[in-house]
Amino acid sequence: MTDTAEDRPESLFGRDSQFHRFFNDPRWALAMVRATVLEAAHPQVGAALMDNSTFVAHPWRRLHNTLISLQRMFGDDDQTRQREAARLNRLHARLHGSDARHRPYDAMDPHVRGWVVATLFESSVTMCRLSGQPLDQSTMERLYAEFKGFHAVLGDDGGQLPATLIEFWSYYDHMVEEELENTEALRIILYKLFDHLPAPPLLDGVPTIWAAGRTLAGPVIGTITVASLPEPFRRRAGLPEIPGAQTLMQGAYLATGLARFLPDNWIRTDSLTELLFRSPDGSDSSAGSRGFAGSGRGNLGDPQPVALTALRGRMKQAGALFRLVTSLPEQRGPAGASAPERSADEFFTAVLDQTGDGYLDWPDLAAMARELSSRLDLDEPEETKLYDAFAAWWRELQAALDIDGDGRVSKDEYAAAVPSLAGPALIRVAEVLFDATDKDGDEFIDADEYRALFRRAFGRTLPGADARYSRGAFVTEFLSFMSGRRRSTAYDPLFAGA
């Protein structure tokens, strides 16, 4: 019996997939938040998030990388999909440990990965139901087949997700009623993340407007998300039942669903992502990664930078007016953004503490290595070389700064030491990073190579008319930044940006 196009796994992906249609549906933003909460409620996922993820300190970076990964996995090109699956597997293989109750977690556990895929599927189905447009049976089965195909591409044997849609709902009910918990990661997402969400790069220069909007929107998003969760889990987790929350939640899904009638280019996820991740001067973006449409380079003749500059000017005026008529104090952007110096305390919080838990330990430096590997789209063995270099730097830092021997470095321990961290291990990190960035091996980093690493800051950071970095110049700037005191228009967006 010969297989047809419908039988082949490749037919589950690409532009004609149900997932691709949902990816550009505004309702999917609400569904993604809901799915993330359900993921975090799994004890293994919640523990992995708390120990390793940058979702607290750098939520926009996490969102951006997740969207790129999903688009690669569900795109048209099978080679891109296989490379992304391999990258995700390498990333997850590095995430293992134990939670506060000494229960082990492993991001490669196929049952855990099956639950993550299940939350994406179920939340997509739920968003349609809550917005008054429930999926018919055939569409639902098609969508389930696509997510099972996604799970299979990751290399799991497929037994973690039920074979049929009918069996899936029994599995889902069991997970909700028996396995999920009110984890710390879940509580942070619901009650802290949105209330303290930093501005995306585009709005970083208008913090008053952002703070006012966040103050209003944060509790509303949390309330909508809680109301959309399965009732058995809300009851078991002790999540509050707020009067009117169900009506608010259904209204939000219905209103968001109406946005799909806007012109396509207004609501495309890649366009919105490019907009949000443009730098404050509107001169560049980060959407040029493999998997996203458009170059995002801010070329001459591109009307977006001019329009964005005008928009930001209006927003600043609105912020000034808002401060005049309310008691809200002026909110400032990054302290002394134009000044080259920064305090040791600020450097620790903004750069070294990538996970936002108040300490420096291996997951923080691993997050740096992960972000650099993603920016440069590294394969093996370059990726492992970079991780190994950061691991050696962590051992050097731990030996020099961990005074009380608890296996991590506190802010006080860092501040009490001489913040000159440019030892042999950090120099090795700089050398390995240079080699990974210098794709053609000519011992210079040219404009395209530099863009791959510093895409949001590219427009203003290349010195000299030839736009080339020698090994020595690159290593010197990297060490100057990572030793803790010098600001950098290139490295700050890379490591300190939200």
Side-chain angles (χ1 to χ4, degrees):
M1 178 179 177
T2 59
D3 64 340
T4 65
E6 287 297 316
D7 297 322
R8 291 193 296 268
E10 291 82 1
S11 66
L12 298 174
F13 306 108
R15 300 169 189 242
D16 295 329
S17 67
Q18 185 63 45
F19 172 85
H20 190 273
R21 288 189 284 273
F22 280 156
F23 191 76
N24 291 311
D25 190 319
R27 296 172 297 176
W28 209 58
L30 296 173
M32 279 286 288
V33 174
R34 182 181 183 278
T36 301
V37 169
L38 289 171
E39 291 172 25
H42 191 290
Q44 285 202 57
V45 178
L49 286 173
M50 293 306 302
D51 285 352
N52 301 281
S53 179
T54 62
F55 79 102
V56 173
H58 305 281
W60 295 106
R61 180 203 301 171
R62 171 68 188 272
L63 172 64
H64 179 253
N65 291 341
T66 298
L67 291 174
I68 288 178
S69 181
L70 285 171
Q71 197 167 54
R72 289 174 176 177
M73 289 294 292
F74 281 93
D76 292 304
D77 184 57
D78 187 58
Q79 182 178 3
T80 296
R81 180 163 37 258
Q82 296 298 333
R83 288 190 67 213
E84 181 62 13
R87 186 190 73 84
L88 289 174
N89 286 335
R90 294 194 303 270
L91 185 157
H92 290 151
R94 296 184 173 99
L95 305 181
H96 50 80
S98 58
D99 64 12
R101 295 164 58 182
H102 307 292
R103 296 177 298 182
Y105 67 82
D106 183 352
M108 285 297 288
D109 185 328
H111 294 282
V112 175
R113 301 199 325 167
W115 173 245
V116 171
V117 175
T119 64
L120 291 171
F121 165 71
E122 189 275 339
S123 291
S124 299
V125 172
T126 298
M127 82 172 187
C128 295
R129 175 175 56 81
L130 293 178
S131 56
Q133 294 180 316
L135 298 178
D136 58 57
Q137 187 69 17
S138 62
T139 302
M140 203 183 308
E141 289 179 349
R142 168 71 183 188
L143 183 64
Y144 185 55
E146 290 173 7
F147 276 105
K148 283 195 67 181
F150 170 37
H151 191 225
V153 170
L154 292 175
D156 296 317
D157 61 19
Q160 292 72 40
L161 288 177
T164 67
L165 187 58
I166 293 176
E167 294 172 307
F168 171 83
W169 295 118
S170 297
Y171 155 81
Y172 178 80
D173 289 341
H174 166 77
M175 292 296 297
V176 166
E177 295 172 7
E178 303 292 337
E179 302 291 336
L180 303 189
E181 299 177 2
N182 189 348
T183 64
E184 183 180 0
L186 176 147
R187 294 191 295 273
I188 287 177
I189 294 171
L190 288 177
Y191 303 119
K192 178 181 176 181
L193 181 60
F194 293 115
D195 287 345
H196 301 83
L197 188 68
L202 174 66
L203 302 178
D204 198 42
V206 285
T208 301
I209 292 291
W210 177 257
R214 182 184 59 194
T215 300
L216 296 173
V220 172
I221 295 174
T223 299
I224 290 170
T225 304
V226 170
S228 72
L229 296 175
E231 192 275 334
F233 175 67
R234 296 204 310 270
R235 185 175 61 251
R236 284 182 56 245
L239 298 177
E241 295 284 350
I242 300 176
Q246 290 292 324
T247 301
L248 176 64
M249 177 266 296
Q250 290 178 335
Y253 273 92
L254 286 169
T256 307
L258 295 176
R260 69 185 184 279
F261 297 112
L262 295 172
D264 287 345
N265 60 334
W266 289 20
I267 59 175
R268 285 186 58 84
T269 299
D270 51 5
S271 299
L272 292 174
T273 303
E274 180 179 357
L275 179 66
L276 282 175
F277 282 87
R278 279 186 178 269
S279 64
D281 62 4
S283 63
D284 46 37
S285 77
S286 61
S289 298
R290 177 170 55 87
F292 270 80
S295 65
R297 298 186 181 184
N299 295 327
L300 292 176
D302 179 4
Q304 281 191 315
V306 176
L308 288 173
T309 300
L311 175 61
R312 289 176 55 79
R314 294 294 181 88
M315 293 179 68
K316 288 181 179 180
Q317 293 174 0
L321 178 61
F322 191 84
R323 291 194 301 272
L324 286 175
V325 299
T326 69
S327 59
L328 186 69
E330 180 176 2
Q331 304 287 324
R332 298 189 180 274
S338 61
E341 302 291 337
R342 80 167 97 221
S343 69
D345 183 89
E346 182 189 350
F347 180 77
F348 185 95
T349 300
V351 178
L352 294 180
D353 183 17
Q354 290 284 304
T355 60
D357 64 354
Y359 293 91
L360 168 64
D361 55 9
W362 166 239
D364 297 300
L365 299 194
M368 293 185 189
R370 188 163 64 242
E371 178 65 15
L372 291 170
S373 297
S374 177
R375 290 285 184 110
L376 296 172
D377 200 18
L378 298 183
D379 288 323
E380 292 288 19
E382 288 78 11
E383 182 182 277
T384 294
K385 288 180 181 178
L386 189 61
Y387 271 91
D388 288 346
F390 270 96
W393 185 37
W394 164 238
R395 292 191 292 270
E396 185 177 82
L397 289 173
Q398 191 177 22
L401 303 180
D402 183 16
I403 306 302
D404 60 11
D406 66 350
R408 57 186 184 178
V409 177
S410 68
K411 187 182 296 186
D412 290 339
E413 286 174 328
Y414 174 76
V418 177
S420 178
L421 310 180
L426 183 58
I427 295 173
R428 174 60 179 163
V429 171
E431 293 278 358
V432 171
L433 181 58
F434 179 88
D435 290 337
T437 307
D438 179 23
K439 297 290 188 181
D440 58 12
D442 66 351
E443 289 299 307
F444 284 91
I445 292 177
D446 61 28
D448 288 337
E449 292 166 340
Y450 199 82
R451 184 188 300 279
L453 182 59
F454 299 119
R455 51 184 177 257
R456 287 205 295 269
F458 177 81
R460 295 177 290 114
T461 54
L462 276 179
D466 59 353
R468 281 159 59 88
Y469 256 130
S470 68
R471 178 181 291 271
F474 181 91
V475 170
T476 298
E477 182 173 342
F478 181 83
L479 295 180
S480 177
F481 176 78
M482 294 305 297
S483 62
R485 289 302 179 92
R486 301 292 296 183
R487 295 184 183 276
S488 167
T489 53
Y491 287 101
D492 270 308
L494 179 61
F495 289 128

